[in-house]
Amino acid sequence: MLFKSRTGLELSFLTVFLLTLLPQLLFCQGNLAVAQTASSDEVATVDFAKEIQPLLARRCFACHGPDVAESGLRLDSLEGALAELDSGDFAVVAHNPDASVLLDRIASEEEGFRMPPEGKPLTESEQDALRKWISSGAEWKQHWAFEPIVQRPIPQTEGQLVDVNPVDAFIDAKLRSKGLSRTQPASPAALQRRVYFDLIGLPPSPDEVDDFLKRAEVDFNSAYEQEVDKLLSSEHYGERWARHWLDVVRFAETNSFERDGRKPNAYRYRDYVIQSLNEDKPYDQFLREQLAGDELANVTRESLVATGFYRLGLWDDEPADRELAMYEGYDDIITTVGQGILGLTMNCCRCHDHKIDPIPTADYYSMLAFFRNLTPNGYGPNVERPLVASAADREKLQRAEQEIRDRGDQLQAKLTQLEGELQAQLSTKTTAATTTYDLDNVEYRFYRDSFQSLPNFDDLKPEDIGKLDPPYFDLQPATRADEFGFVFTGTIVVPQDGQYTFVLDSDDGSRLIIEDQVIAEYDGIHGVGNPKRATVQLSKGRQAIRLEYFQATSDKGLRLFWSGPGFKRRWLTARKAQATSDLVQILNSPVAEELDAETVAEYRTTKRALEENSRRQPWDEYGLCVSEHGTSSADTFILLRGSPQGQGEKVEPRFPTILGGESPEITANPQANTTGRRLALANWITADDNRLTSRVIVNRVWQHHFGRGIVRSPNNFGQLGETPTHPELLDWLSANLMQSGWRLKPLHKLLLMSETYRQSTLAADETLDKDPNNDWFGHFNMRRMSAEEIRDTLLATTGQLNLKMFGPSIFPEISGEVLAGQSVPGSGWDKSSPEDQARRSVYIHVKRSLVVPLLSAFDFPETDSSCEARFMTTQPGQALSMLNGDFLNQQSALFAQRVQQEAGADRANQIKLAFQLAMSREAQPAEIERAIKLMDTLRSEFELSEEQALANCCLYLFNLNEFIYLD
C-alpha cells in the first residue's frame, strides 16, 4: 500500500503525480465496494437519520421543502409526507410501498413524471432505501443534532474483567457489529512522533526519542502516558491548537478588499487564544469571553482582547452601499457563530427560510438582533481600544488623560502668547509682505440634496451663495451634517512657471478644475484616507480654480493642498487652528528673517511639544475590541430577500426555534455602555442544556486527532451535513466534557490514551474491503503535516527554530515577484529580522491578499470565512516548493552545517544524525549506503564540494514522503 510502510530514501516528488490520481482511484474503489455491499447485503431496517432524512433534504426539499405552497407535497415533516395529495393519492403510505406514489414517481423513466424532475434520477440503492423505510413503517425522527444530549451507557463486552477506555468501548462495539476488529498497535516510535505533532506540532528531539524508547521497553503504557501529560502541559500545545481555532474564526490581520489594510493589534487575539488553551481555560468561559468579554461581571484585559473575535472578518472601508455593507458585517458574525460554534448554517436564512433545516428567516434576524448595536469595523476608538478592565485601570487612565490635557493646556497657552507677540511684530510689516493666501475671491454655492456621485452642479439651483474670507475652501457654511454639495470658485495665485502637485482627499466625492481642466477627481461614496494626487504644468499668474464636493452620509471631510517650486505642502482648504497654520507659513517664508529670532525659535519648539503631546497615548495596551453604540439598540427588522430596502416585520432577540426559541431576559450594562444582549446569547450558547455547543467542539477535537470528525462536516450539523458515524460516542464525550467543567485537556488525554488512537495505519485487506473509508476506525488514518507543521519542522530540524512566544506578528522573506502581485505593490509586508523570521508559523502575519507561498502550497486556509477542515491536497506545486524553493535550499544548507558540526566529518555519522533529526528514528544500513552513494555521485559527476553534496543530501531527506507524512 502506498505510504503504509517506510521504504527508505524514496523521493516524494515522484509520488506527487501518483498521489494526484490516488483520490480518484480510491473513490472508484470505494464506490465499487459500496455497490458490491449494497447488492449483497440485505438490511432489514433503514436508519432514518443517516439514510432517509439527508436523502430527502438533498434531492426533494428544493420543491417539497419549507418553501413549498401549502397545497403541495411536503417532505420535511411526517405529517406532510403522509398527507393526502390533491389527486387523492398518498405519496407515502406507512407499511405499504405499493400504495406509495412517491416510489412510482422516483422509479419512472417518463420525462415530466419522474421525480426529481431535474438532475440525475435516484440511484437504485437510494430507491431501495426509501422502499425499505416505507415498508418498515416510515418512522420519522427528529434530526439527531436537535435532540438533547443523552449520555448512554458505555458498551460492555461479555466477560470483561477490566475497565476499558470509553472510546474503545464504543468503537469496538461498532466494529463488532460490522464484523470487524481493530488493527495492531502502532510502533512506539511512530506513536511518539504522531502524538508530538498532534499536540505541539513539532517533532521529538533525538534525546526525547531515546528517553521514551528506553522507558517504553520497561513499561510502555506508563511511558506513553508520561509523554501525553508532558505534551499537554507544554507551552507549545497552545501554539499548535490555537491554529485550529483560528481557522474556525476566520482569523486574519487585514481587511481584504482593494487596500487590504491592517487590523490594529489583531495579534493580541491570537496570543489570547494560545494563552487560554495553555491554561486549559474552560471552553464555556473561552466562548463567553469572545462573545461578551466586555459585559462579564469580571472584565479583564484578556476578556476585552477576546472580543476582537467580532473584528476578524472582512471589512470594506469604501463600500458602494454602506447600509448593505453593515448587514454584510452582521452576516459574517452570524455565519461564524452559527457554523463555528453551533454547527448551523444559519446564514442560509438571510434571504429566505432555510431550505433544509427548520430555521425560518425570522430566526436569522432574531439572532442578528443580538449584534444589532455593535459599532462597525473601522479605525479609531470604537475598534482599537485601551485595555482598561478594572476600577484601578480606569483611575490610572483618567489620571493619565488629565495629565495630557493639562500639559496640552499649558503648551497651548504658551503658544497663544507667542503667537500674539509674533502677530504684533508682523503688524508692523506691509500687508503685501505678510499675505500667505494662495487663493483669492473664493465664493461658494451650497446645494441641499442627496448625491451618490458628482452631479452637474450647473444644472442645479443652489440653496445659498456666499464669499469665503479668509480665502480657503471651507465646508463651514453647510447648514446640515450630510446630504449636501458645494461648488467653490476663485483664483489661485501661481508664483512662477513650473510643475505643481495637488493632493485631493475627501469624504465623499470631489473634483478639482483649473482653467477648465479637470486636475483630480475622487468620485463616489467613500471615506478619507486614499488621496488622489496629480501633477500639472502651470504658468505664473492668476488662474481660475473650481472645486466641487458632495457629502452623502456619515463624517464629512475635504482636504486639498499643493506643492511646487520653492515651497512644500500648502493648504487650500480650511483646517482647524487656521491662524496657526497661516503663521507657520509666514515663518517658513523670508518674512521670518525680520522677526525676533528667539521668539520664533521658542514658538517652533512649543508647537512641536504641543503636537507631540497630542499624540501621546495615556495607556500602554490597546487591543482590537468590540464596542456598542450605547445601552439601547436600534430596532431590527426582517429584510425581505435580504435587502435593506425591503423592510419587513420587527423582531426581538430570540434563540432559534428549533433549539428552544426562548426570548431571553436582557439587562443593559451601563458600565460597559452596552445593551447586555451579547452576554445573554453567550450564556445560552454555553448552557449545559444547549444541544450543539459541546457536540461541535468535541467533534473538532476528535477531528484533529483522528483525521476527520465523528461528523465529517464539522461546520454543519444540520440535515445536509454528514450524520455521525458514532452518535452514541459523540454524545457520551459531549456530556463528559460538560461534566468535566468544559476543560479540553482531559478530553485530549482520554482520546490519546485510547487503543483506537494508538492503532497502526496498516489495515487488514478484509477491513479495507468492508470499510474503505475507515468509517468505523478499524485502523489509524495516515495524514500529511499541515503547512505550519512542515515549516516549523524544517526550522527545528536545522536548529534554527526560534521558540519565542507572543507579540506582534512576523514577516518571513517573500520574493519581489510575489510582493509585486499585491493590489498595492510594495506595501503591507514588513521585513523581520532573521531571528524573528525563524519563529513558529502561528506568529506569521496573516494578510488576506498575500499568503506566504510555502504555506499556500500546503493548503493554508482561505480566511474570508470559517474553515471547518483544511484541504489536504497533493499537487505539483508542493514538490516544486520542497525541491526548488529558496527557503528549502537555505534550510538544507543550514541542516548540512548542523550535522557537520554535531556529527563530525564521518559521512555515516552525518547520515545517522540527519535521519534522527529529520525522521525521529535510526537510519537503516541500506539507507546510509544509498545516501553516501548519492553524495559520491554529486561530488564526481556534478563537481560539488563536500558541503554542497551534503546540503543536497539533506534536501533529499526533506523530500522523502516520510518527512511530511505521519504514520
Side-chain angles (χ1 to χ4, degrees):
M1 292 183 59
L2 197 56
F3 288 8
K4 288 302 181 183
S5 62
R6 295 189 170 92
T7 57
L9 300 176
E10 294 298 329
L11 284 174
S12 65
F13 68 83
L14 179 60
T15 60
V16 164
F17 175 72
L18 297 176
L19 280 177
T20 305
L21 300 178
L22 180 60
Q24 301 174 42
L25 296 174
L26 290 179
F27 177 81
C28 296
Q29 179 186 357
N31 279 353
L32 179 59
V34 170
Q36 291 171 343
T37 302
S39 65
S40 60
D41 294 344
E42 286 297 326
V43 183
T45 59
V46 177
D47 188 328
F48 174 79
K50 184 175 182 181
E51 299 180 66
I52 302 303
Q53 196 168 43
L55 174 60
L56 295 175
R58 186 173 63 253
R59 301 304 308 274
C60 306
F61 279 13
C63 299
H64 304 289
D67 283 352
V68 73
E70 292 183 4
S71 60
L73 170 63
R74 294 284 295 269
L75 291 175
D76 59 325
S77 68
L78 180 60
E79 294 75 13
L82 298 179
E84 184 177 2
L85 303 175
D86 292 343
S87 63
D89 296 321
F90 292 87
V92 175
V93 180
H95 301 290
N96 192 348
D98 293 337
S100 303
V101 298
L102 172 66
L103 298 178
D104 293 336
R105 298 294 294 270
I106 65 175
S108 175
E109 296 183 359
E110 180 183 344
E111 291 292 335
F113 184 79
R114 185 189 65 222
M115 293 290 139
E118 297 179 356
K120 294 182 179 179
L122 268 62
T123 65
E124 290 185 10
S125 60
E126 290 172 333
Q127 295 181 37
D128 188 52
L130 286 171
R131 177 174 292 277
K132 290 177 180 177
W133 170 62
I134 293 173
S135 298
S136 63
E139 179 186 21
W140 196 288
K141 294 179 181 179
Q142 171 78 300
H143 183 62
W144 66 270
F146 305 143
E147 292 283 355
I149 296 172
V150 177
Q151 191 172 33
R152 293 178 175 83
I154 300 171
Q156 301 290 315
T157 59
E158 187 176 347
Q160 181 175 313
L161 299 177
V162 296
D163 289 337
V164 176
N165 185 302
V167 172
D168 295 329
F170 282 102
I171 294 295
D172 288 349
K174 181 71 76 171
L175 286 169
R176 286 194 300 270
S177 72
K178 303 296 180 180
L180 300 171
S181 61
R182 276 189 276 113
T183 190
Q184 64 194 35
S187 69
L191 185 59
Q192 185 195 33
R193 185 172 169 86
R194 178 191 301 171
V195 76
Y196 261 75
F197 278 103
D198 278 3
L199 284 181
I200 66 172
L202 293 171
S205 69
D207 287 344
E208 287 170 327
V209 172
D210 238 13
D211 175 65
F212 170 68
L213 294 180
K214 288 176 182 176
R215 288 184 287 112
E217 287 182 359
V218 179
D219 186 340
F220 172 76
N221 287 330
S222 174
Y224 176 67
E225 184 173 9
Q226 289 171 11
E227 292 293 281
V228 171
D229 289 339
K230 177 183 73 175
L231 295 172
L232 285 172
S233 63
S234 167
E235 61 187 2
H236 305 307
Y237 156 79
E239 293 175 318
R240 168 65 175 147
W241 279 80
R243 189 58 255 183
H244 296 320
W245 182 254
L246 297 178
D247 283 4
V248 172
V249 298
R250 83 283 189 228
F251 175 79
E253 299 178 79
T254 60
N255 298 316
S256 190
F257 294 96
E258 181 181 359
R259 282 177 287 279
D260 200 18
R262 289 188 190 175
K263 295 180 180 294
N265 294 299
Y267 74 89
R268 291 191 188 277
Y269 176 86
R270 177 206 63 214
D271 289 353
Y272 158 81
V273 175
I274 294 172
Q275 185 176 350
S276 296
L277 293 174
N278 277 338
E279 294 172 354
D280 200 19
K281 180 177 292 180
Y283 181 67
D284 58 341
Q285 179 185 345
F286 182 62
L287 292 182
R288 281 196 298 273
E289 289 178 348
Q290 293 176 73
L291 295 171
D294 56 328
E295 296 185 314
L296 299 175
N298 180 30
V299 176
T300 64
R301 294 186 193 180
E302 67 177 17
S303 75
L304 291 175
V305 169
T307 65
F309 162 83
Y310 289 102
R311 304 298 190 190
L312 300 176
L314 280 67
W315 175 58
D316 186 355
D317 60 0
E318 193 178 32
D321 186 328
R322 295 192 179 189
E323 188 175 18
L324 179 62
M326 177 181 70
Y327 282 100
E328 293 286 351
Y330 293 141
D331 187 70
D332 168 68
I333 294 170
I334 292 173
T335 300
T336 306
V337 171
Q339 296 183 17
I341 298 175
L342 297 173
L344 288 179
T345 56
M346 293 192 66
N347 50 300
C348 296
C349 308
R350 180 179 177 182
C351 302
H352 50 72
D353 291 346
H354 202 293
K355 296 290 187 180
I356 308 300
D357 295 327
I359 307 175
T361 304
D363 279 5
Y364 173 92
Y365 288 96
S366 291
M367 178 68 78
L368 188 152
F370 286 105
F371 311 113
R372 182 67 176 85
N373 201 44
L374 295 179
T375 58
N377 283 331
Y379 303 104
N382 285 339
V383 174
E384 186 181 12
R385 295 174 53 193
L387 302 179
V388 176
S390 64
D393 285 346
R394 281 189 289 276
E395 290 176 5
K396 183 178 178 182
L397 175 63
Q398 289 167 2
R399 288 196 300 270
E401 288 177 333
Q402 187 62 48
E403 191 274 328
I404 291 173
R405 284 195 295 269
D406 292 344
R407 175 64 175 160
D409 291 345
Q410 295 169 5
L411 291 169
Q412 184 60 60
K414 181 66 175 176
L415 194 66
T416 301
Q417 174 195 334
L418 294 169
E419 286 171 355
E421 296 176 9
L422 292 172
Q423 292 289 0
Q425 295 177 33
L426 286 170
S427 65
T428 64
K429 312 298 177 186
T430 65
T431 302
T434 58
T435 298
T436 61
Y437 301 122
D438 296 325
L439 299 175
D440 195 11
N441 297 323
V442 176
E443 297 181 349
Y444 70 85
R445 300 202 301 269
F446 176 75
Y447 301 83
R448 184 185 179 96
D449 205 343
S450 175
F451 305 102
Q452 298 295 310
S453 60
L454 286 165
N456 185 349
F457 282 104
D458 294 338
D459 293 339
L460 305 176
K461 181 179 179 179
E463 180 183 87
D464 188 26
I465 298 175
K467 191 172 178 110
L468 290 168
D469 187 23
Y472 288 95
F473 301 136
D474 193 350
L475 301 181
Q476 191 62 35
T479 59
R480 59 193 306 186
D482 51 29
E483 298 187 338
F484 63 85
F486 270 107
V487 173
F488 303 97
T489 57
T491 57
I492 184 169
V493 181
V494 182
Q496 64 184 71
D497 294 349
Q499 295 277 336
Y500 292 82
T501 299
F502 293 83
V503 179
L504 176 64
D505 197 2
S506 62
D507 180 356
D508 294 298
S510 55
R511 182 186 292 126
L512 174 64
I513 303 171
I514 297 179
E515 292 293 334
D516 296 326
Q517 177 185 355
V518 176
I519 304 300
E521 186 174 279
Y522 197 13
D523 203 4
I525 297 177
H526 46 73
V528 296
N530 187 29
K532 303 295 182 182
R533 182 182 301 269
T535 300
V536 294
Q537 179 75 29
L538 295 178
S539 301
K540 179 180 178 180
R542 299 167 64 85
Q543 312 266 4
I545 188 170
R546 173 181 173 125
L547 180 62
E548 300 175 354
Y549 171 83
F550 81 86
Q551 172 62 44
T553 58
S554 189
D555 298 332
K556 58 187 175 184
L558 179 62
R559 304 172 185 173
L560 175 64
F561 62 86
W562 70 324
S563 59
F567 68 95
K568 294 185 177 179
R569 175 184 300 189
R570 282 164 55 167
W571 289 91
L572 300 176
T573 48
R575 300 187 301 162
K576 292 181 180 178
Q578 188 65 59
T580 302
S581 176
D582 292 344
L583 185 57
V584 170
Q585 293 183 25
I586 293 172
L587 295 180
N588 289 330
S589 71
V591 177
E593 298 176 3
E594 303 179 31
L595 304 177
D596 179 67
E598 186 175 339
T599 305
V600 170
E602 187 177 6
Y603 170 83
R604 286 172 170 160
T605 300
T606 305
K607 188 173 188 304
R608 280 196 302 270
L610 181 62
E611 292 172 349
E612 291 172 0
N613 187 74
S614 67
R615 290 193 293 269
R616 287 171 59 193
Q617 289 187 327
W619 196 252
D620 293 332
E621 296 181 64
Y622 283 73
L624 188 70
C625 303
V626 78
S627 63
E628 294 192 18
H629 291 290
T631 55
S632 60
S633 174
D635 292 334
T636 304
F637 298 90
I638 295 175
L639 302 184
L640 305 179
R641 307 304 296 176
S643 170
Q645 280 69 48
Q647 195 173 96
E649 295 181 5
K650 179 181 174 181
V651 296
E652 299 293 339
R654 184 171 52 80
F655 306 131
T657 307
I658 191 63
L659 298 175
E662 301 91 349
S663 297
E665 294 184 10
I666 297 174
T667 304
N669 189 330
Q671 187 171 1
N673 197 33
T674 65
T675 60
R677 292 182 176 189
R678 288 177 291 113
L679 182 59
L681 176 65
N683 289 335
W684 172 76
I685 285 177
T686 57
D688 285 352
D689 61 355
N690 189 293
R691 303 167 196 178
L692 290 170
T693 307
S694 62
R695 279 174 170 149
V696 170
I697 188 59
V698 161
N699 189 63
R700 293 195 193 281
V701 174
W702 182 281
Q703 166 193 352
H704 294 302
H705 282 312
F706 290 92
R708 59 91 169 168
I710 295 174
V711 179
R712 289 184 183 269
S713 52
N715 272 14
N716 188 357
F717 277 34
Q719 295 180 94
L720 267 190
E722 299 287 339
T723 54
T725 54
H726 298 74
E728 297 84 2
L729 173 58
L730 179 62
D731 275 11
W732 190 94
L733 291 171
S734 302
N736 187 66
L737 174 69
M738 293 185 285
Q739 293 163 8
S740 302
W742 291 85
R743 295 189 180 275
L744 296 179
K745 286 189 178 181
L747 173 61
H748 284 297
K749 185 170 182 179
L750 179 67
L751 302 186
L752 297 174
M753 292 304 297
S754 70
E755 297 293 340
T756 304
Y757 179 82
R758 292 193 270 178
Q759 293 179 101
S760 168
T761 55
L762 295 171
D765 290 342
E766 180 187 11
T767 300
L768 293 175
D769 289 341
K770 289 186 176 181
D771 186 18
N773 294 322
N774 199 21
D775 286 336
W776 316 123
F777 297 103
H779 60 95
F780 199 81
N781 289 320
M782 177 177 284
R783 76 169 178 90
R784 196 206 72 206
M785 292 182 194
S786 67
E788 295 91 336
E789 287 174 301
I790 292 172
R791 180 180 176 276
D792 293 353
T793 301
L794 288 166
L795 292 168
T797 302
T798 62
Q800 302 298 307
L801 184 62
N802 178 358
L803 293 176
K804 175 185 174 183
M805 297 181 67
F806 306 127
S809 295
I810 63 168
F811 296 83
E813 187 172 347
I814 294 180
S815 70
E817 293 83 356
V818 175
L819 291 174
Q822 300 181 87
S823 59
V824 186
S827 68
W829 197 262
D830 299 339
K831 186 172 183 179
S832 297
S833 66
E835 293 78 17
D836 275 347
Q837 290 189 43
R839 292 179 64 193
R840 293 200 66 175
S841 302
V842 71
Y843 299 111
I844 290 177
H845 178 72
V846 182
K847 183 179 173 76
R848 282 194 157 97
S849 62
L850 180 65
V851 178
V852 174
L854 179 66
L855 302 186
S856 177
F858 285 95
D859 307 307
F860 188 82
E862 170 64 56
T863 57
D864 287 356
S865 58
S866 175
C867 173
E868 64 175 0
R870 295 190 184 187
F871 294 114
M872 281 296 170
T873 64
T874 302
Q875 43 90 3
Q878 296 167 356
L880 293 173
S881 296
M882 295 295 286
L883 278 171
N884 300 332
D886 287 342
F887 181 71
L888 262 294
N889 280 273
Q890 292 167 4
Q891 294 305 310
S892 298
L894 292 168
F895 190 14
Q897 293 175 18
R898 179 181 183 182
V899 297
Q900 279 183 323
Q901 292 170 0
E902 297 182 18
D906 184 82
R907 282 184 173 180
N909 289 338
Q910 291 174 353
I911 302 302
K912 287 178 183 178
L913 178 59
F915 264 85
Q916 290 172 339
L917 292 170
M919 312 300 175
S920 305
R921 68 171 177 86
E922 297 292 333
Q924 300 298 316
E927 293 171 330
I928 297 173
E929 181 182 345
R930 292 175 66 185
I932 293 175
K933 184 178 179 180
L934 171 63
M935 293 177 66
D936 286 336
T937 302
L938 292 170
R939 294 292 314 273
S940 61
E941 296 186 17
F942 295 92
E943 299 182 354
L944 299 185
S945 67
E946 183 71 15
E947 291 76 16
Q948 290 173 324
L950 181 57
N952 276 270
C953 188
C954 289
L955 180 64
Y956 181 54
L957 294 181
F958 285 152
N959 278 271
L960 295 180
N961 293 324
E962 185 182 348
F963 180 74
I964 62 172
Y965 283 86
L966 298 173
D967 272 334

